[in-house]
Amino acid sequence: MNDPPLASLSLTHVHYNPVDRLSYICAWLALVPQALCVIYVTLIWSTREVEILLMFAGQMACEALNWGLKRWIKEERPRQMNGKGYGMPSSHAQFVTFFSLSLSLFLLLRHNPSSRPPPQTQQQQPYSHNPLPFTHRLAISVLSIVSAGVVATSRIYLNYHTPRQVMVGCFAGAVCAVGWFIVTGLLRRWGVVEWGLELGIARWARMRDLVVEEDLVEGGWRRWEERRRVRLRVRDDGGGKKGR
């Protein structure tokens, strides 16, 4: 009889208008940052790429900055919003802006795949893989930025933030993305990334740094093609022997 009232976990608790279909879609868009965190962790675990780990570290630093800014500025959310916490700047807008701009900077400025085969494979079968062209990478970048804009706008539509709070969040996310891109570039130039990959913990975790120079869909493809050719050769040889 004296149990305390139950509370709602605000991480996934989103208010929306049940009779408004667009409001319902915006409520799902509010879960994009959580989905991106799952994607980050999945990619880090499956690829062991240090570039993704660095991007995730910057993403978390950006989120920590948002937490500090909200408690420093202390600007309330719109009056018609029923949620808790401060609203300046919008954490959703800052999160997705950092992600989309960091991805775009990587694809357009840092990602430099080659259509030439590595030296150890030049004497093997012809190298027929074509890296993702720049125009495709540009299209992905534009799509990611537009998607970030949609998520940020949804926060205004749901009355969780004012337009000014969303704009400041986008600006803060953009500054963090550009700043972190410069920092990681300097870390690469100074050899800090290469040094870190030689540490025992990085070697134990099998961290690597291939995605900068290797095409996004190339990882493992060459090994798969080699194994496929071996299987086909064995199958053809076996069929020839049976024919004899």
Side-chain angles (χ1 to χ4, degrees), residues 226-238:
E226 292 172 359
R227 294 180 183 181
R228 177 175 171 271
R229 284 193 291 268
V230 170
R231 288 198 303 269
L232 291 176
R233 191 181 306 115
V234 171
R235 186 184 65 184
D236 294 340
D237 292 345

Side-chain angles (χ1 to χ4, degrees), residues 14-224:
V14 184
H15 292 278
Y16 72 96
N17 185 351
V19 298
D20 184 351
R21 186 176 295 274
L22 184 56
S23 179
Y24 177 73
I25 295 174
C26 289
W28 278 102
L29 290 175
L31 303 179
V32 167
Q34 290 90 329
L36 288 177
C37 286
V38 173
I39 293 173
Y40 269 123
V41 175
T42 302
L43 288 176
I44 292 171
W45 175 259
S46 59
T47 67
R48 309 302 172 99
E49 284 288 343
V50 70
E51 182 68 21
I52 303 175
L53 180 62
L54 288 172
M55 184 174 169
F56 185 54
Q59 187 82 72
M60 293 297 98
C62 181
E63 190 69 6
L65 175 63
N66 180 269
W67 185 90
L69 287 175
K70 281 187 174 182
R71 283 148 185 81
W72 177 51
I73 301 174
K74 296 182 179 180
E75 182 174 301
E76 299 295 336
R77 295 177 182 269
R79 293 183 178 179
Q80 61 269 40
M81 213 287 293
N82 297 321
K84 300 179 181 179
Y86 298 115
M88 173 66 83
S90 167
S91 59
H92 278 72
Q94 187 169 330
F95 192 104
V96 295
T97 300
F98 178 93
F99 173 81
S100 63
L101 190 53
S102 295
L103 178 63
S104 300
L105 289 172
F106 168 75
L107 290 176
L108 301 179
L109 300 180
R110 182 170 293 166
H111 186 50
N112 187 30
S114 175
S115 59
R116 296 181 179 179
Q120 64 271 22
T121 63
Q122 289 181 358
Q123 302 301 324
Q124 298 177 7
Q125 297 293 329
Y127 189 73
S128 61
H129 179 74
N130 294 319
L132 196 67
F134 180 83
T135 53
H136 290 190
R137 285 182 273 149
L138 178 61
I140 295 173
S141 302
V142 172
L143 179 61
S144 68
I145 292 175
V146 171
S147 299
V150 172
V151 174
T153 304
S154 71
R155 304 304 290 170
I156 302 174
Y157 192 85
L158 290 175
N159 294 319
Y160 272 84
H161 293 283
T162 65
R164 189 166 69 102
Q165 291 171 350
V166 168
M167 291 179 62
V168 173
C170 291
F171 176 77
V175 170
C176 288
V178 174
W180 188 243
F181 184 79
I182 294 174
V183 169
T184 53
L186 292 175
L187 293 177
R188 287 183 173 280
R189 180 178 300 180
W190 295 338
V192 177
V193 172
E194 185 177 357
W195 170 81
L197 289 173
E198 293 299 324
L199 295 177
I201 186 171
R203 299 289 297 170
W204 173 81
R206 297 189 177 184
M207 299 299 298
R208 58 190 183 182
D209 190 23
L210 293 175
V211 72
V212 173
E213 298 179 353
E214 186 179 78
D215 189 61
L216 298 176
V217 297
E218 175 63 13
W221 174 257
R222 204 158 37 249
R223 291 192 299 274
W224 163 254

